[in-house]
Amino acid sequence: MTAARPSDLWQRFQTQRSTIPNLGISLDLSRMNLPDDWFQRHAPAMTRAFDAMDQLEAGAIANPDEARMVGHYWLRAPERAPTPELRRAIEQPLADLRAFAQAVHSGQVAPPSGGRFDTLLIIGIGGSALGPQLVADALGDPATDRMTPFFFDNTDPDGMDRVLRTLGPDRLARTLAVVISKSGGTPETRNGMLVATAAYERAGLKFGPHAVAITGVDSQLDRHARDHGFLARFPMEDWVGGRTSQTSVVGLLPAALQGLDIQGLLEGARLCDQATRLRDPLANPAAALALAWLHATNGKGEKDMVVLPYKDRLLLMSRYLQQLVMESLGKRLDLDGKRVDQGITVYGNKGSTDQHAYVQQLRDGVPNFFAVFIRVLEAIGPQCDPLAESVVDPAVQATSGDYLHGFLLGTRAALFENDRASLTITLPRVDAQRLGGLIALFERAVGFYATLVNINAYHQPGVEAGKKAAAAVLDLQKRLVEALAAHASTQPMTAAELAQALSLPDQVEPIYLLLEHLAANGRAVLVNPEANPGSARFAARG
């Protein structure tokens, strides 16, 4: 790449910049090295992408694996839902969750032991946790939040125990648990609910009067919640995918209970949707973003996306985008059934922490990425102590916020000087509207990009394959425990011998790994710890 003159960059900045006017959000592609005719060259492809998006919003079946529509855009504009029934399915739960949050805050819905609920325990996985975590961290304030959120977002017993020990029995009595699972059968969420239930019971409390469910109507969780006296049950519609569920009950109920501005989230997403329906890619930030990804990755995922928000409140943005982008775009087959192995890898941290971590490699190492800078103009929010943004360097009259902004611009320039592409998204501030707009911007860019590379962004066969494989492993573990018990009176056995006993000679390695796990957790005995895997012998726990 030939070094660009400052005048050329200024011209590019003016011509390769699009905005969401009512939110003050802008997208700058001037450092993405797009050919001058890039947008014109891809006009026919973008017309197809616009058409596909129109069909999606009109209610077309977008997830053929499950014969489902994809309706997250209707959540912030219910009047656009294709039927009156769908509109009611959006508006009524929204009204209900607002009323429920108000009842909790007022003490009308209260713990059986008295007082008020002041703590949230959100139990979910994937989109049922990543979105609520992002919003809670970005918009929350421990000094003013109505309720303090904690999360069970994995089936790691140590992680759940850390949360429960932080809460303790007294605070647990004032904790409202929100269990989120479309089917109720998702193992991580089910396990979290069972662990939480046991913790409440150990504290002399019943789980049901401290719990709320967000789930599909008449699902396994819905029936459990009804039978165990949960305080409320909210519907989780099958036309809302987990990774696009932040503006559904999944994201809005936890945010409302925390006391955050859910109307602002919805309005920001609605305004972004409005701006990104424009059929001019140069004026449409989501279309421009998708076309920039196409150029950066050669439409084949050849480069990673490094997300660098220069704002502590947006630290979790890269984790959120990992699921949104990678689960949507990581596909083995295209729409024609051809193997394409598509996807864009996403990772990130925050500025300026990243400058003391991996910017060295970004600047001087393998050029296998493009950067996404997220720039926030206002250094502090209206509730912050002005002391945090006072002058810290009198010699140059610079504040801490000036330094942060300077590091962003400096890193952006240093990367570009060494032929590293980047784009910059600018927000005036981090508030509910702008966060809602930012989420909606990436949602629509993912949809456009998927059409450009001819894949389905709205199904996830790989996730289902992983769940089936995990179920098979657990079934093998059950058989293994039974085999150990059946041979308890005999000589301790190696993994290979147990594989033969189970008529699974090709499964020696997974059997050894399971035995190792069982022994480490006191459910089997490794009788010769110094042995190598081939000669290690295991027995049933006596």
Side-chain angles (χ1 to χ4, degrees):
M1 181 187 72
T2 303
R5 295 177 303 174
S7 59
D8 294 335
L9 287 176
W10 173 238
Q11 182 61 30
R12 281 192 217 168
F13 178 78
Q14 295 177 78
T15 58
Q16 296 181 11
R17 184 174 179 272
S18 53
T19 64
I20 305 173
N22 292 323
L23 294 175
I25 295 175
S26 66
L27 170 70
D28 164 29
L29 302 181
S30 60
R31 267 69 173 174
M32 286 298 289
N33 301 313
L34 301 176
D36 292 340
D37 64 345
W38 186 251
F39 286 85
Q40 182 181 0
R41 192 191 312 172
H42 290 87
M46 274 311 308
T47 296
R48 291 191 295 273
F50 288 133
D51 290 344
M53 188 63 70
D54 288 346
Q55 293 166 15
L56 180 82
E57 291 201 82
I61 298 299
N63 185 343
D65 295 355
E66 299 171 306
R68 291 178 179 174
M69 298 178 288
V70 172
H72 50 279
Y73 296 113
W74 312 328
L75 296 168
R76 45 265 195 167
E79 69 278 3
R80 297 183 69 91
T83 69
E85 292 77 17
L86 285 171
R87 178 171 183 169
R88 286 193 294 271
I90 297 166
E91 292 177 334
Q92 189 59 55
L94 180 57
D96 291 344
L97 77 85
R98 290 180 188 277
F100 181 78
Q102 177 58 37
V104 170
H105 295 160
S106 69
Q108 181 182 345
V109 173
S113 56
R116 296 191 182 190
F117 286 115
D118 59 20
T119 304
L120 278 172
L121 176 59
I122 300 159
I123 304 173
I125 191 74
S128 298
L130 289 167
Q133 284 173 322
L134 167 65
V135 170
D137 192 50
L139 302 180
D141 184 340
T144 58
D145 286 348
R146 304 298 295 267
M147 302 178 75
T148 303
F150 293 84
F151 290 85
F152 280 4
D153 64 346
N154 200 357
T155 188
D156 180 1
D158 183 53
M160 291 185 280
D161 183 63
R162 289 176 69 186
V163 171
L164 292 171
R165 283 187 287 112
T166 300
L167 296 178
D170 291 341
R171 191 169 183 181
L172 197 63
R174 309 191 308 275
T175 297
L176 178 66
V178 180
V179 186
I180 310 173
S181 174
K182 188 173 290 185
S183 67
T186 305
E188 296 93 336
T189 305
R190 182 201 61 213
N191 294 352
M193 181 180 70
L194 295 177
V195 168
T197 299
Y200 277 87
E201 291 176 349
R202 190 166 57 247
L205 307 165
K206 289 186 177 180
F207 185 65
H210 295 80
V212 174
I214 302 175
T215 188
V217 175
D218 202 37
S219 69
Q220 179 180 329
L221 174 57
D222 194 38
R223 295 191 297 272
H224 179 88
R226 182 187 61 224
D227 295 343
H228 289 80
F230 279 29
L231 290 169
R233 305 184 336 260
F234 292 91
M236 191 174 182
E237 303 296 346
D238 65 3
W239 39 265
V240 178
R243 57 191 176 277
T244 56
S245 64
Q246 183 51 42
T247 52
S248 76
V249 177
V250 169
L252 297 179
L253 178 62
L257 289 166
Q258 190 177 343
L260 306 180
D261 179 11
I262 64 170
Q263 186 56 44
L265 275 172
L266 290 168
E267 179 64 5
R270 186 191 70 80
L271 289 171
C272 180
D273 290 343
Q274 188 177 67
T276 54
R277 289 190 185 100
L278 294 175
R279 281 182 165 257
D280 177 1
L282 276 168
N284 180 327
L289 189 56
L291 285 169
W293 293 351
L294 189 73
H295 178 259
T297 68
N298 199 25
K300 299 175 182 177
E302 292 177 357
K303 291 196 175 182
D304 303 338
M305 182 192 308
V306 184
V307 181
L308 302 174
Y310 275 65
K311 196 69 174 174
D312 285 4
R313 287 184 178 272
L314 296 177
L315 169 64
L316 298 182
M317 196 73 205
S318 60
R319 288 180 59 188
Y320 176 79
L321 291 176
Q322 278 178 338
Q323 185 193 18
L324 176 62
V325 175
M326 296 176 72
E327 192 168 279
S328 298
L329 303 181
K331 300 296 159 64
R332 181 172 181 264
L333 304 177
D334 68 9
L335 294 173
D336 302 319
K338 177 184 175 183
R339 181 162 183 173
V340 291
D341 297 326
Q342 273 286 0
I344 300 177
T345 300
V346 178
Y347 64 92
N349 192 8
K350 67 174 182 179
S352 63
T353 299
D354 59 273
Q355 293 180 219
H356 299 271
Y358 49 72
V359 162
Q360 168 62 34
Q361 177 167 315
L362 299 186
R363 172 63 169 73
D364 293 340
V366 184
N368 62 345
F369 72 94
F370 65 99
V372 176
F373 289 102
I374 301 180
R375 173 175 172 249
V376 180
L377 295 179
E378 292 184 9
I380 60 174
Q383 296 180 342
C384 292
D385 186 342
L387 181 64
E389 180 53 3
S390 58
V391 171
V392 295
D393 191 344
V396 293
Q397 285 296 297
T399 68
S400 55
D402 295 336
Y403 270 96
L404 184 66
H405 188 243
F407 289 143
L408 185 159
L409 295 182
T411 302
R412 174 173 173 262
L415 292 182
F416 189 72
E417 287 166 1
N418 206 32
D419 297 348
R420 270 61 170 166
S422 70
L423 60 89
T424 302
I425 298 170
T426 298
L427 316 178
R429 65 192 66 87
V430 176
D431 61 11
Q433 280 201 18
R434 278 75 194 177
L435 184 60
L438 190 61
I439 289 169
L441 173 64
F442 279 97
E443 285 178 347
R444 197 172 294 258
V446 162
F448 285 147
Y449 182 86
T451 302
L452 291 173
V453 298
N454 196 39
I455 60 171
N456 187 342
Y458 306 108
H459 69 160
Q460 49 278 339
V463 175
E464 299 306 316
K467 290 179 181 178
K468 291 177 182 177
V473 170
L474 292 173
D475 180 67
L476 175 58
Q477 178 177 294
K478 178 175 180 291
R479 294 177 61 190
L480 189 56
V481 170
E482 292 170 349
L484 284 172
H487 293 83
S489 60
T490 66
Q491 176 96 3
M493 304 173 73
T494 66
E497 290 167 346
L498 281 160
Q500 289 294 332
L502 292 170
S503 300
L504 296 170
D506 296 332
Q507 297 295 306
V508 179
E509 183 196 27
I511 284 174
Y512 172 79
L513 295 174
L514 288 169
L515 288 167
E516 192 177 40
H517 166 77
L518 291 168
N521 289 280
R523 292 153 66 193
V525 178
L526 172 59
V527 299
N528 53 340
E530 302 304 319
N532 63 43
S535 58
R537 292 187 171 275
F538 297 86
R541 174 67 63 182

